[in-house]
Each structure stands twice: as structure tokens, then as C-alpha cells.
Amino acid sequence: MNSTPAHPGHGAPEDARRHDPRPADRSDRTHEQPHEITGHDDHHHDDEGASHGSLRDYVTGFVLAVILTAIPFWLVMGKVIDSPAITSVVILGFAAVQMVVHMVYFLHMNARSEGGWNMLALIFTVVIVAILLAGSLWVMYHMNTNMMADMVHKPSIQP
């Protein structure tokens, strides 16, 4: 039977003590802060390529978000474009650009963050949302065409 204890640091060979992540004796560590005693100082901020952003990044993102909000507001309030359909398409374009600004500058999403899994999840989400929206619009259009065809040509009777 082996007389070596199961827990390193308590009579274990020197090899096991060297690889033991626990401190050998905490009595001499009383001058350290509580987070150092619990071992929270040894965690790493390795986000696999994602940056936490600097003040400059946040300010840039904020300024872009304000500009991308002000321009569509001006387009609508100033009636710059005569066609409401074209105005709607332009506003949707600005909204898409603003979503990208928020993802890059505030959510710190890029092709490197989380080993590329964030970008893969985003692409999957965009594809699913596009399928749902296109399918819903297609179904509503065909239901309107097939079920309301008689209503288009009949005059409405009002009392």
C-alpha cells in the first residue's frame, strides 16, 4: 500500500508540492488584500482577441451613434426626401449601420473575439431573422392577395 497522502502539501513528495496551486501557508499572507488570499488575482483576462475598449473607442462609438441618429431625424423632420418609401429605406440603412457601430464599439464584437464564435453566432442570428421576416412577409402578402381579392373591387357600403 502506498503511504503517500492523497492531498499534496501534507507529507507529499516535493514534486507534488511544486505543482500545487494552493498556497503552502496562509499565516504569512495576512498583510495581503482579501482578493489575493482567495486567489482572484491569478485569473487572466484572455478574451481570445476581444478588446475591452478604450475611452477613445467609446467616445468614437458614441459620436457615430449620435450622428447616425441625427441624420435620419433630420431627414424625416425636414422632409428632405419627398417619397416616404425612399425615406424609409434610407432610415433602415442608417439603422443597420448603427447596429454595426454598436456591435463593434460597445459590444466589442469582431472576427477574433471568442475565437470567432461571436461572429458565427451573429451570422446565424441574422440568417434566422432574415428567414423569419421574409417568410412572414411572404405569407402575409399571399394571404392578403388570396383572401382579400374580392374586397379590392367592391365598393364599401357605409351607413
Side-chain angles (χ1 to χ4, degrees), residues 4-83:
T4 306
H7 299 290
H10 298 286
E14 186 62 31
D15 291 343
R17 279 192 212 131
R18 250 184 295 154
H19 300 293
D20 184 15
R22 296 175 295 173
D25 183 21
R26 291 188 181 196
S27 62
D28 62 342
R29 301 180 79 189
T30 56
H31 65 281
E32 297 175 347
Q33 298 295 324
H35 71 279
E36 291 173 302
I37 293 173
T38 59
H40 287 106
D41 60 339
D42 62 349
H43 69 286
H44 302 290
H45 291 282
D46 185 14
D47 294 326
E48 298 178 15
S51 66
H52 291 291
S54 64
L55 180 63
R56 181 179 179 194
D57 289 338
Y58 286 117
V59 170
T60 303
F62 177 73
V63 169
L64 286 173
V66 167
I67 290 170
L68 292 170
T69 301
I71 291 174
F73 184 78
W74 169 73
L75 289 174
V76 171
M77 295 305 289
K79 297 184 182 180
V80 176
I81 302 173
D82 292 332
S83 170

Side-chain angles (χ1 to χ4, degrees), residues 83-125:
S83 170
I86 295 175
T87 304
S88 299
V89 170
V90 170
I91 290 173
L92 286 175
F94 276 103
V97 172
Q98 189 165 35
M99 285 190 298
V100 171
V101 166
H102 281 265
M103 287 188 294
V104 170
Y105 286 99
F106 300 118
L107 298 177
H108 312 295
M109 291 180 66
N110 57 32
R112 296 174 296 160
S113 64
E114 298 291 332
W117 286 106
N118 277 345
M119 192 58 64
L120 188 62
L122 174 67
I123 291 168
F124 177 74
T125 302

